[in-house]
Amino acid sequence: MKIDLSDPSFIVAAMALVGTIFTYFKHDKKIKAQEKLINDYQLGKIEEEKIQKMQAEVRASIIVGNKGLRTLRVYNKGKASAKNVRLILHDEPECLYSLNPFPFPLLNEHENVDLNIHLHMGSPDNISFELLWDDAFKMNNSHLQTVQLR
């Protein structure tokens, strides 16, 4: 069998073959680029989850009680234990008559510690404070917060 290079069917078949090869490699390059993006995203998510498992997240909220009693609840909503939890009140108000349990040695995930606040005439409407703690990820984490008492 002799191949005639001037035969139009041979030229069309050769062009189709070259086009198919070109399309295959172009498509393969796109697929590999997408796979790399997906892999990088998944690796980033895994790394982020590792870091979150090492971090505590200490926050506070006010619980309203009867007749001017408020409870400042300090809680850990992170996934790791918070060690050496400290509460630094800015301009410590006179309404804090209860014993301050801080520094608190250990606050595990979803645990809390309460500080009672007794309001009276002239008590401030809100208090500002800083929460400090250590965890497996970092020492001396901090969070500034203001809560409303009334």
Side-chain angles (χ1 to χ4, degrees):
M1 178 171 164
K2 186 176 174 189
I3 299 175
D4 184 13
L5 297 178
S6 63
D7 183 17
S9 63
F10 176 76
I11 294 171
V12 170
M15 287 175 46
L17 180 63
V18 169
T20 302
I21 291 171
F22 175 76
T23 303
Y24 170 78
F25 283 114
K26 186 175 179 180
H27 181 70
D28 187 53
K29 185 178 177 182
K30 275 187 179 179
I31 295 290
K32 286 182 180 175
Q34 287 176 347
E35 286 176 352
K36 183 180 179 342
L37 283 173
I38 290 169
N39 286 342
D40 290 347
Y41 175 77
Q42 287 175 335
L43 289 173
K45 287 289 273 184
I46 290 169
E47 188 64 30
E48 185 179 315
E49 287 174 10
K50 271 188 195 176
I51 290 170
Q52 284 181 350
K53 285 181 182 177
M54 296 169 54
Q55 289 179 323
E57 192 174 346
V58 179
R59 300 292 184 262
S61 64
I62 287 288
I63 299 170
V64 178
N66 296 336
K67 298 181 182 177
L69 178 65
R70 303 291 186 266
T71 302
L72 180 66
R73 175 161 287 168
V74 177
Y75 56 92
N76 179 7
K77 69 178 199 174
K79 295 182 178 181
S81 296
K83 298 176 181 103
N84 191 24
V85 179
R86 284 112 46 218
L87 174 71
I88 300 170
L89 292 163
H90 300 170
D91 303 323
E92 188 165 337
E94 297 171 5
C95 57
L96 293 176
Y97 292 118
S98 66
L99 296 174
N100 188 340
F102 296 97
F104 202 75
L106 180 68
L107 202 57
N108 291 313
E109 179 182 7
H110 303 300
E111 288 183 346
N112 62 66
V113 61
D114 293 340
L115 179 64
N116 291 326
I117 300 172
H118 300 281
L119 299 181
H120 54 78
M121 295 297 285
S123 294
D125 291 337
N126 52 45
I127 56 172
S128 297
F129 52 87
E130 183 176 12
L131 293 162
L132 300 164
W133 71 94
D134 304 328
D135 57 31
F137 184 72
K138 180 180 165 190
M139 301 296 277
N140 292 322
N141 295 284
S142 70
H143 177 71
L144 295 171
Q145 191 169 347
T146 301
V147 292
Q148 196 168 22
L149 296 174
R150 296 182 191 259

